[in-house]
Amino acid sequence: MGEFSPVANGLRTEHPVPGLPFINDERLPLDNPDAIERTGRDQGEGLWGRTDPLPGGGWVAFTTEPKNRAYAWAVHYHPEHGRTVVLVTDRSWSGLHHDWMYGNTGFLYRHGGYWWDGIAWHRPGVVFDGAYERYDARPVEDALTITAADLLIHPADPGKATVATIAGFTASKTPVSNWRDHLALWAEHRQGMPDARPLAECVVDLQAPELEPGRLVGRAAMAKIANIAEDDLPAPGYEDHKMPEPQAHRATEPLWSQPVARDWAEQHRQDHGPGALLSATTTFGTPQPQGLVDDHNHLTKVIHVDGKQTEEEAKTLAWWPAVSLTVGPESHLPMSALRTTLIEAVLSHLAMTKAEERSGIWFRPLRRDVVKVFDWYVQRKPDRTSGLLSEICLDARTRLDVDPQTVGQLIRRSLHRESTLGKQTIDALLDAALPPSAKSSES
């Protein structure tokens, strides 16, 4: 959840966040989302409220807290799993609203974005699947759900805990040290609530082997998993948003679970792998897309052939014409239009073969000219390969009802047959650039 992580639990929540204090939320009309919205909406400068129905039933509601405008209440109601009530900073509730409404990431978040959808725990969304325009949902292996009943089996003293009030509340940067005592006090308050959910159904946390402290990894191990230098990781303090939210901290170092680190490495390969794979060195000694280097070398020969320039002069004269062919919005070749044409060619092939409805024709390879255009384009725009393949898979799914894996298999077989890049390069390119749902288990 990152920048919109909760800072406190509402006393009437049914799924408390570990380590956070409990705040008296009796003024919130928790059974009336419209009334929650009206608590803040149009009630004065700096106050806001909102409510929305959830697609699968239930609702979400938010309101600025009038007595402490630095914070906002966030309420999620699930028709089967009940009510979640948390306090967040007022500037960050919109991020939580987006995740609850559109994120496809459940409604309970723990350990740096691990999420529960009422059925299973999943790792944080790190690998983006462009074929579905969402992060790939990846279940946690051997996850164990921890309920309030599980935690309160152990001795706890509610007399050592307190319920905070909102008026003077200030969020702490450290967890509540005796949180089990606070959980016991929360459970006592629930005894007087009508229709209180059993403690065995109040989800608090998860345990999983990958989250054991000894298995978490820091930046050095993260870089090793991604097969890059540690200095090539996003800079701490400046580019933290480019890294997954950590599962824990050790001194000043963030720590991640190894599966999250592997997911980040996969996304890094998807973003940067094609550019590294289809790169070459210019005659000036600088790395550039392979196609641009080929264009420069070709134009150098054309200029040098008349013998009026030295080879070095020819290299210099050829550089900007080579660049202007494919680089920039004013490039001589309309790269954006070429990309669109390539996408439509693949979709036309899929539509035609689907309409024919003959057994065995589904995987007929793309025409040689289409593959030739693909080769030419990705060699000059390798960093756009993932976006190109994602758009093809997305359009095939939404416009033709063709699943992404079928599209991925078609592209792979077509390139194996007709591409001049070579089978090994094609496999490396597609393994990096295809969206997760388009990759077969064999790839």
Side-chain angles (χ1 to χ4, degrees):
M1 291 173 63
E3 70 276 8
F4 44 89
S5 296
V7 296
N9 293 296
L11 186 59
R12 289 177 290 170
T13 190
E14 294 180 316
H15 304 294
V17 181
L20 297 185
F22 290 90
I23 295 184
N24 190 338
D25 58 9
E26 62 182 6
R27 293 176 57 253
L28 275 179
L30 292 182
D31 295 324
N32 189 337
D34 293 323
I36 295 174
E37 178 186 46
R38 288 194 300 270
T39 301
R41 191 177 185 90
D42 300 327
Q43 298 302 308
E45 185 177 355
L47 297 175
W48 187 249
R50 176 166 182 159
T51 184
D52 292 282
L54 290 167
W59 47 266
V60 296
F62 300 82
T63 181
T64 308
E65 171 49 61
K67 291 189 175 183
N68 194 339
R69 298 185 182 190
Y71 300 101
W73 290 105
V75 183
H76 183 289
Y77 176 73
H78 190 287
E80 181 181 353
H81 299 289
R83 187 167 57 211
T84 303
V85 186
V86 293
L87 193 73
V88 297
T89 60
D90 189 55
R91 66 179 181 275
S92 65
W93 67 264
S94 60
L96 181 55
H97 173 269
H98 179 274
D99 264 25
W100 275 348
M101 288 293 299
Y102 312 112
N104 191 45
T105 55
F107 59 95
L108 296 186
Y109 308 97
R110 303 291 187 266
H111 301 280
Y114 277 73
W115 54 274
W116 188 67
D117 58 2
I119 299 173
W121 287 97
H122 298 76
R123 299 199 297 275
V126 174
V127 181
F128 191 74
D129 191 332
Y132 288 91
E133 296 186 295
R134 67 192 186 199
Y135 287 100
D136 199 30
R138 302 190 166 186
V140 180
E141 187 174 350
D142 296 327
L144 178 65
T145 299
I146 306 299
T147 67
D150 296 327
L151 293 177
L152 292 174
I153 289 175
H154 305 284
D157 185 355
K160 295 180 180 178
T162 58
V163 176
T165 57
I166 189 63
F169 176 78
T170 300
S172 173
K173 294 183 179 180
T174 58
V176 175
S177 58
N178 60 328
W179 192 75
R180 190 177 281 114
D181 296 333
H182 288 254
L183 184 67
L185 181 59
W186 165 83
E188 279 193 356
H189 279 274
R190 292 184 59 78
Q191 292 175 4
M193 295 181 184
D195 303 321
R197 179 175 294 271
L199 296 180
E201 297 178 10
C202 295
V203 175
V204 175
D205 205 354
L206 83 149
Q207 287 182 355
E210 65 193 60
L211 289 171
E212 293 176 3
R215 296 191 178 189
L216 302 182
V217 298
R219 285 178 59 86
M222 174 79 87
K224 185 176 182 180
I225 290 170
N227 196 31
I228 60 176
E230 186 174 351
D231 288 345
D232 290 335
L233 289 173
Y238 297 94
E239 299 178 295
D240 288 334
H241 62 286
K242 296 181 180 180
M243 297 290 285
E245 186 180 355
Q247 278 62 71
H249 286 85
R250 178 178 58 210
T252 58
E253 181 182 33
L255 298 173
W256 295 272
S257 74
Q258 293 183 48
V260 168
R262 289 193 292 270
D263 287 346
W264 185 84
E266 180 180 338
Q267 183 62 48
H268 187 271
R269 285 192 298 273
Q270 182 173 314
D271 293 337
H272 303 285
L277 181 69
L278 299 179
S279 175
T281 302
T282 69
T283 55
F284 303 124
T286 57
Q288 294 288 348
Q290 180 179 312
L292 175 55
V293 173
D294 290 343
D295 293 338
H296 179 232
N297 291 342
H298 175 71
L299 289 174
T300 297
K301 291 179 181 178
V302 170
I303 293 172
H304 185 54
V305 73
D306 64 6
K308 294 180 180 179
Q309 289 87 19
T310 67
E311 184 174 356
E312 288 302 315
E313 289 172 335
K315 291 177 185 177
T316 302
L317 290 171
W319 177 247
W320 287 113
V323 170
S324 67
L325 283 174
T326 58
V327 178
E330 303 299 324
S331 62
H332 288 295
L333 296 172
M335 299 301 287
S336 177
L338 181 65
R339 180 182 186 275
T340 300
T341 303
L342 182 56
I343 292 171
E344 292 300 323
V346 177
L347 292 176
S348 175
H349 175 89
L350 286 167
M352 180 181 65
T353 54
K354 183 178 181 181
E356 289 174 348
E357 294 183 351
R358 294 210 304 269
S359 176
I361 203 170
W362 185 252
F363 293 108
R364 187 177 62 194
L366 295 167
R367 295 178 62 177
R368 178 177 298 174
D369 284 348
V370 175
V371 175
K372 187 174 182 179
V373 173
F374 178 89
D375 280 1
W376 191 92
Y377 181 86
V378 300
Q379 288 180 86
R380 285 153 183 83
K381 298 293 180 183
D383 58 333
R384 299 184 185 178
T385 306
S386 292
L388 171 67
L389 295 174
S390 290
E391 187 168 347
I392 290 172
C393 292
L394 173 65
D395 286 352
R397 182 180 65 82
T398 56
R399 291 163 54 179
L400 303 175
D401 195 29
V402 179
D403 68 275
Q405 189 171 116
T406 295
V407 179
Q409 291 171 338
L410 168 69
I411 292 173
R412 191 180 295 268
R413 291 187 62 185
S414 300
L415 297 183
H416 280 173
R417 179 171 176 171
E418 302 290 356
S419 174
T420 59
L421 296 177
K423 184 176 184 299
Q424 185 174 354
T425 299
I426 286 299
D427 282 340
L429 180 68
L430 296 182
D431 288 349
L434 279 172
S437 56
K439 297 175 184 176
S440 66
S441 57
E442 293 82 16
S443 64

